[in-house]
């Protein structure tokens, strides 16, 4: 499944029925780590991470995206071609950098059950050779 067009924040905000997944997408797209933390449930499966570890890693990625000029993301749904073979991943793409932040949303019976990072469509850490992140 692929969306023909990327989804931007105003599109979600204009929707009449915003569910919990849309609110989480919106928080990620806005790089609002406090809202992300609030919306994530302790019982979600973060695969090899705890909720706190997952949020810290996501916050680190948000900060790196901020360093390279991103203030928000747009969303594209893509089929993962590597780590989550043929599953749909959410690729949050930096508006300025064009660099993706991939997340796999695990659903069961239309309910979110877990999240995991997916690097199939790029990642900000690919810039580690060009940036000394501690200088920022």
């Amino acid at each position: 499944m692929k969306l023909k067009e990327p989804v931007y924040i105003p599109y979600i905000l204009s929707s009449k029925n915003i569910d919990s997944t849309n609110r989480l997408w919106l928080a990620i797209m806005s790089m609002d780590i406090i809202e992300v933390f609030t919306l994530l449930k302790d019982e979600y499966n973060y695969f090899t991470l705890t909720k706190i570890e997952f949020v810290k890693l996501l916050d680190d990625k948000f900060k790196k995206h901020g360093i390279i000029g991103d203030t928000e993301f747009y969303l594209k749904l893509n089929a993962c071609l590597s780590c989550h073979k043929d599953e749909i991943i959410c690729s949050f793409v930096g508006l300025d950098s064009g660099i993706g932040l991939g997340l796999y949303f695990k659903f069961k019976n239309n309910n979110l059950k877990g999240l995991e990072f997916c690097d199939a469509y790029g990642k900000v850490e690919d810039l580690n050779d060009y940036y000394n992140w501690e200088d920022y």
Side-chain angles (χ1 to χ4, degrees):
M1 169 192 216
K2 270 179 112 171
L3 290 174
K4 290 183 181 182
E5 300 291 327
V7 175
Y8 293 88
I9 290 174
Y11 176 80
I12 294 176
L13 290 174
S14 69
S15 300
K16 292 182 181 183
N17 297 317
I18 298 178
D19 65 13
S20 60
T21 300
N22 294 142
R23 284 194 296 277
L24 183 54
W25 285 351
L26 189 59
I28 294 167
M29 293 166 74
S30 304
M31 299 170 66
D32 184 344
I33 199 64
I34 301 298
E35 183 68 7
V36 170
F37 181 80
T38 302
L39 292 170
L40 293 177
K41 296 181 180 176
D42 291 332
E43 63 267 14
Y44 287 166
N45 180 357
Y46 301 98
F47 297 85
T48 61
L49 303 172
T50 66
K51 175 184 172 181
I52 299 292
E53 291 168 335
F54 180 86
V55 170
K56 284 182 179 180
L57 187 54
L58 184 61
D59 188 43
D60 182 62
K61 290 176 184 287
F62 284 175
K63 287 176 182 170
K64 288 177 179 174
H65 273 273
I67 290 168
I68 59 175
D70 292 324
T71 56
E72 60 185 53
F73 298 104
Y74 66 86
L75 170 64
K76 290 181 75 176
L77 298 181
N78 293 301
C80 181
L81 302 174
S82 62
C83 51
H84 299 94
K85 198 69 171 171
D86 298 325
E87 295 287 345
I88 301 301
I89 63 151
C90 295
S91 183
F92 297 92
V93 182
L95 285 180
D96 289 331
S97 71
I99 296 174
L101 187 165
L103 290 172
Y104 170 63
F105 284 65
K106 174 76 173 170
F107 288 95
K108 184 175 181 183
N109 299 325
N110 292 325
N111 293 312
L112 183 60
K113 295 296 181 184
L115 286 123
E116 185 176 22
F117 291 100
C118 176
D119 297 332
Y121 290 92
K123 58 185 182 199
V124 73
E125 289 81 10
D126 289 341
L127 298 177
N128 285 351
D129 291 340
Y130 303 100
Y131 287 90
N132 182 4
W133 302 111
E134 289 79 32
D135 289 346
Y136 296 94

